[in-house]
Amino acid sequence: MKDKTLRSQGWFGKKGKDGIIYRSWLRKSGVPSHAFDGRPVIGICNTWSELTPCNSHFRELAEWVKKGILEAGGYPFEFPVMSLGETQMKPTAMLYRNLAAMDVEESIRANPMDGVVLLCGCDKTTPALVMGAASVDLPSIVVSGGPMLTGHYRGQRISTSDVWRFSEAQRSGQMTEAEMEVAEAGICRSDGHCAVMGTASTMACMVEALGLSLPGNAAIPAPDGNRKVLARASGAEIVRMVQADRKLSDLLTREAFENAIRVNAAVGGSTNFVIHLLAIAGRVGVSLEMDDFDQFSRGIPLLANLQPSGDHFMEDFYYAGGLPVVIRELLPHLHGDAVTANGKTVAENVGAAEGYNDQVIAPLQTPFNPISGVAVVRGNLSENGAVLKPSAATPGLMKHRGKAVVFEDIDDYKARIDDPDLEVDASSILVLKYVGPKGYPGMPEVGNMGLPPKLLEKGVTDMVRISDGRMSGTGFGTVVLHVSPEAAEGGTLAIVQNGDTIVLDVEQRLLHLEVPEAEIAARKAAWKNPETPATRGYVALYQQHVQGAHLGADLDFLRGSSGSEVTRDSH
Ligand code: FES
């Protein structure tokens, strides 16, 4: 242990009136005097909420973390922060990611703690907690809530990813409302987050690949007893991290970010990974750009055969050995010497990892798909870049030239997409505007907009779709997302008109609007933002300060770190 007085002694070690106030009010909650004797004080940052169903088991999970902290000689204090339930929050949970990150940051800094355990689960809870904690930079470890058990419907294994398939089936008349109700009851059958490689699982893999959790954290199902064992071990580990003064900035190095990009490619992670990793890098001052995602995921094959890109579920991933097996396979491409939360290197952590099912996790030599990761396309339609997930796209559409069918905003899309008279065919490109960070506001997951029913009925299963929004990690299709600059900032997307020709060429990394430059300039000169910005509260603050998707959509004044020091006392 390094010879230094711990931060919590700035509260509990005080003499006189101040010390009494800091300690005395805690005693009424049963906190014993030895909690104040200079041992590591650990905060457990809890995103439990009944309105965040994916995190509804976190109060119990926190108890297992506490056992580990106490066993290792620390003292735990659990505290709540804003929870972000992906399925319930309007207009989108992403609008509040930065608000939750502010809550996390200020809650950690203002309180007597030496280290933090971050309880993360549903999509945005992971980046929000990591971003907030990174701006304080205490020793911190992530415990994920774990995925749900696989759902069932009429003998088939299903998951939340099937919502989109079922919905298209109902719209095209292949599934009745009664059948939908049966499916609805079978999709989410246990505690935990979505059971596919959606955004929550992607985020859980991201933190493990960054070295912010213990090995194996990503895949253990929420109801599995081993999730409790991992929570307990993480509680013990954070005490050791405080003793070793191993902070987030020691782990979140450029090498760790490159590792995370490559691991994300190998597991077929969600496109939301891009935006959240950029935001985290911005907090710790690591230089990371959109093109890094393209560069570092090139040549990384798909090793995990998981829905929505593949066949299996997170439960199967765990039984096959989980993320340590993927990392072990990928070691030739990784910085194996990057240090992780437990003080061991990436390579040391996975040295003994064993794969049990190569139908779920393939060896590096025989991958499921030689293409994976994220492609970043640029051109006059996305000067700052846009992303596409090749493994979720239709190969025949990766090079495509088509006429734009433009929806001016989400209301326009909803009003017209089912219209039998909509002028659209399978070669059209659907364009949706004003669903970016500023525009919607909050950048919702509407980029994989449903196809027109009249084409679905003809058997069309995919079309090129372009927007400044995001796509659910459980979604799929040839979908160009995160177009930046966004429409609400007057980007070229804002002036695309019905019938314009657009060229997508993923091989060439091109997204081009075939309209003469002079015409584009004239349309831009005449452009006025049709959206009315908010005038009060958090949403106004957000719209004034949110940065583009290519910078992670963080608030400009939240980039960077303010450290953990608090210079003034409260009384
Ligand atoms: Fe919470 Fe999918 S809705 S992880």
Side-chain angles (χ1 to χ4, degrees):
M1 177 169 176
K2 294 197 177 167
D3 185 21
K4 72 168 202 175
T5 304
L6 293 178
R7 178 177 184 269
S8 58
Q9 285 296 296
W11 284 255
F12 301 148
K14 289 232 168 195
K15 304 283 182 213
K17 176 203 69 170
D18 284 359
I20 292 171
I21 292 174
Y22 288 129
R23 294 184 300 267
S24 187
W25 268 255
L26 289 172
R27 292 213 176 205
K28 77 183 176 68
S29 311
V31 178
S33 59
H34 65 252
F36 310 128
D37 66 2
R39 69 188 59 211
V41 174
I42 308 297
I44 302 173
C45 182
N46 201 336
T47 48
W48 171 86
S49 166
E50 286 182 345
L51 288 167
T52 306
C54 305
N55 299 13
S56 61
H57 56 304
F58 279 18
R59 285 197 293 192
E60 191 200 350
L61 195 64
E63 294 304 317
W64 291 97
V65 175
K66 285 179 193 171
K67 285 182 206 285
I69 293 169
L70 290 166
E71 283 163 2
Y75 197 86
F77 287 98
E78 184 183 347
F79 65 99
V81 289
M82 184 182 191
S83 190
L84 304 173
E86 195 64 28
T87 53
Q88 311 300 321
M89 295 186 88
K90 291 184 179 185
T92 166
M94 180 64 180
L95 176 60
Y96 307 105
R97 182 200 65 180
N98 302 336
L99 179 61
M102 285 173 82
D103 180 359
V104 171
E105 175 179 347
E106 302 303 337
S107 295
I108 294 172
R109 184 179 297 113
N111 279 298
M113 60 185 92
D114 306 306
V116 197
V117 180
L118 306 170
L119 296 190
C120 304
C122 197
D123 296 10
K124 308 300 175 294
T125 56
T126 304
L129 267 57
V130 173
M131 288 161 68
S135 287
V136 188
D137 198 24
L138 290 178
S140 309
I141 193 167
V142 174
V143 175
S144 299
M148 297 178 211
L149 297 176
T150 310
H152 286 266
Y153 167 67
R154 293 183 151 188
Q156 292 170 40
R157 303 177 82 208
I158 59 167
S159 74
T160 45
S161 206
D162 289 291
V163 168
W164 278 265
R165 191 166 57 84
F166 291 153
S167 148
E168 303 276 81
Q170 192 184 17
R171 289 172 69 224
S172 64
Q174 291 162 20
M175 200 168 172
T176 66
E177 199 153 322
E179 287 170 329
M180 280 292 272
E181 273 181 34
V182 176
E184 177 183 310
I187 288 178
C188 303
R189 58 177 273 261
S190 81
D191 283 339
H193 59 69
C194 291
V196 297
M197 188 49 74
T199 303
S201 299
T202 299
M203 292 293 99
C205 289
M206 176 190 79
V207 293
E208 188 170 335
L210 285 168
L212 304 186
S213 72
L214 290 182
N217 171 67
I220 306 169
D224 193 304
N226 287 306
R227 177 60 60 188
K228 299 182 176 101
V229 172
L230 179 124
R232 191 173 191 153
S234 303
E237 194 61 57
I238 188 64
V239 175
R240 291 191 284 272
M241 289 174 76
V242 170
Q243 290 164 342
D245 197 24
R246 193 158 46 251
K247 302 187 295 293
L248 275 175
S249 57
D250 298 319
L251 308 177
L252 290 172
T253 59
R254 168 80 191 185
E255 289 72 25
F257 283 94
E258 291 177 9
N259 281 348
I261 291 171
R262 288 177 163 137
V263 170
N264 184 62
V267 297
S270 147
T271 45
N272 287 319
F273 169 82
V274 177
I275 211 151
H276 298 315
L277 200 72
L278 284 167
I280 294 166
R283 296 299 185 105
V284 290
V286 166
S287 162
L288 196 71
E289 295 177 358
M290 289 273 282
D291 292 334
D292 290 324
F293 292 82
D294 199 313
Q295 181 191 338
F296 290 103
S297 59
R298 271 193 205 220
I300 302 295
L302 184 69
L303 299 185
N305 181 11
L306 298 171
Q307 291 203 20
S309 304
D311 301 322
H312 299 282
F313 298 92
M314 286 302 288
E315 192 181 346
D316 308 315
F317 188 44
Y318 173 56
Y319 302 142
L323 196 66
V325 177
V326 175
I327 294 177
R328 188 206 61 203
E329 285 297 314
L330 268 192
L331 273 179
H333 296 284
L334 299 179
H335 301 284
D337 56 352
V339 175
T340 71
N342 63 7
K344 296 184 180 162
T345 64
V346 168
E348 286 169 342
N349 277 339
V350 301
E354 243 185 291
Y356 305 115
N357 186 344
D358 59 13
Q359 298 303 303
V360 179
I361 305 174
L364 189 60
Q365 292 72 26
T366 52
F368 296 114
N369 191 338
I371 302 169
S372 193
V374 168
V376 175
V377 291
R378 287 175 187 273
N380 64 355
L381 195 43
S382 58
E383 289 98 331
N384 295 331
V387 304
L388 175 139
K389 184 174 172 181
S391 61
T394 302
L397 290 173
M398 300 275 267
K399 184 171 182 177
H400 185 74
R401 192 166 179 275
K403 299 275 186 206
V405 174
V406 176
F407 299 99
E408 289 299 330
D409 59 24
I410 191 72
D411 301 316
D412 183 34
Y413 166 78
K414 286 182 178 168
R416 294 196 295 125
I417 190 67
D418 291 346
D419 184 348
D421 295 328
L422 182 70
E423 284 191 27
V424 64
D425 62 36
S427 73
S428 303
I429 294 181
L430 305 182
V431 175
L432 176 59
K433 302 177 180 176
Y434 300 103
V435 292
K438 274 192 168 78
Y440 196 74
M443 207 181 178
E445 293 180 335
V446 295
N448 56 325
M449 60 198 111
L451 306 185
K454 69 183 202 181
L455 297 183
L456 288 171
E457 284 157 19
K458 289 183 188 161
V460 175
T461 54
D462 193 11
M463 294 171 73
V464 175
R465 289 159 270 178
I466 299 173
S467 77
D468 45 9
R470 296 178 300 118
M471 171 171 81
S472 163
T474 59
F476 44 85
T478 311
V479 188
V480 179
L481 303 150
H482 310 187
V483 167
S484 179
E486 63 171 296
E489 286 193 308
T492 309
L493 183 68
I495 55 86
V496 178
Q497 294 180 356
N498 260 331
D500 285 349
T501 299
I502 294 174
V503 177
L504 170 69
D505 187 336
V506 179
E507 178 72 33
Q508 299 298 319
R509 299 300 194 257
L510 179 72
L511 183 65
H512 183 69
L513 179 68
E514 279 192 346
V515 170
E517 271 179 39
E519 169 68 11
I520 290 176
R523 288 188 199 174
K524 282 189 175 177
W527 175 80
K528 283 195 184 63
N529 188 355
E531 304 287 319
T532 310
T535 53
R536 73 164 296 282
Y538 168 72
V539 180
L541 182 78
Y542 172 91
Q543 286 187 304
Q544 284 157 21
H545 291 281
V546 71
Q547 298 184 304
H550 65 291
L551 295 173
D554 201 358
L555 303 186
D556 50 12
F557 60 86
L558 288 177
R559 285 178 81 85
S561 164
S562 303
S564 62
E565 198 180 348
V566 193
T567 53
R568 293 194 170 153
D569 284 333
S570 49
H571 18 75

